[in-house]
C-alpha cells in the first residue's frame, strides 16, 4: 500500500519512512514538508493513505482537506498531530479525515490507523 507522509518536522520526516517500510505491505512512496506538494505527490504515486501533519509549510492541512478529498476520492487521509485538542479532532472529522493520530502516541497506533483507513 502506497503511503504519503506530509510532515514539517525534519527529524520525523527522515525516520518515519523506514519505520513504515518495515511493516509488511506498507510503502512510504513519498514525503514532503510542503502543503502545495501533497496533491501532486498523491497523483504521481497513486497514494492509498496520506498521513498529514496538521500544519505544514505553506498552510493548514485541515483547511485543505476537503479539497484534497474531492480531488483524490480514492485516497484516505489521516491527521498526525502533536495537538490533543478535542476541537481539532472534531474539525478533522468534519473535514473528512479517516482518523486523527497523536504523535505522542505509540507508533503502532499510527500503523493501526493506516490499516483501518485503507479498509
Amino acid at each position: 500500500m502506497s503511503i504519503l507522509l506530509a510532515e514539517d518536522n525534519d527529524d520525523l520526516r527522515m525516520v518515519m519512512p523506514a519505520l513504515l517500510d518495515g511493516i509488511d505491505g506498507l510503502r512510504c512512496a513519498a514525503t514532503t514538508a510542503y502543503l502545495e506538494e501533497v496533491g501532486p505527490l498523491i497523483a504521481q504515486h497513486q497514494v492509498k493513505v496520506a498521513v498529514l501533519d496538521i500544519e505544514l509549510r505553506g498552510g493548514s492541512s485541515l483547511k485543505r482537506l476537503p479539497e484534497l478529498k474531492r480531488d483524490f476520492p480514492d485516497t484516505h487521509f489521516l491527521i498526525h498531530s502533536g495537538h490533543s485538542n478535542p476541537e481539532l479532532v472534531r474539525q478533522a472529522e468534519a473535514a473528512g479525515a479517516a482518523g486523527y493520530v497523536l504523535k505522542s502516541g505509540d507508533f503502532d497506533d499510527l500503523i493501526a490507523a493506516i490499516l483501518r483507513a485503507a479498509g
Side-chain angles (χ1 to χ4, degrees):
M1 172 187 343
S2 182
I3 299 168
L4 167 68
L5 174 65
E7 171 62 58
D8 71 347
N9 179 297
D10 295 334
D11 293 333
L12 281 177
R13 199 174 59 260
M14 302 267 300
V15 171
M16 285 181 60
L19 295 172
L20 291 169
D21 289 346
I23 306 297
D24 192 37
L26 300 184
R27 181 177 65 86
C28 187
T31 66
T32 186
Y34 298 92
L35 185 58
E36 66 269 9
E37 293 179 354
V38 170
L41 287 170
I42 290 172
Q44 178 182 354
H45 296 282
Q46 299 177 335
V47 169
K48 179 75 172 175
V49 177
V51 178
L52 308 176
D53 191 355
I54 201 163
E55 287 290 330
L56 294 169
R57 294 176 193 155
S60 166
S61 59
L62 272 185
K63 290 180 181 174
R64 182 73 58 85
L65 188 54
E67 176 185 331
L68 289 167
K69 285 191 57 66
R70 182 195 70 224
D71 293 347
F72 303 100
D74 295 331
T75 300
H76 305 280
F77 296 89
L78 295 174
I79 298 298
H80 193 225
S81 175
H83 305 286
S84 62
N85 182 330
E87 178 58 23
L88 290 175
V89 175
R90 188 199 63 72
Q91 288 175 16
E93 291 171 352
Y100 190 100
V101 182
L102 292 175
K103 290 180 185 179
S104 61
D106 194 51
F107 186 70
D108 289 340
D109 295 340
L110 178 60
I111 298 304
I114 290 170
L115 296 174
R116 265 192 317 273

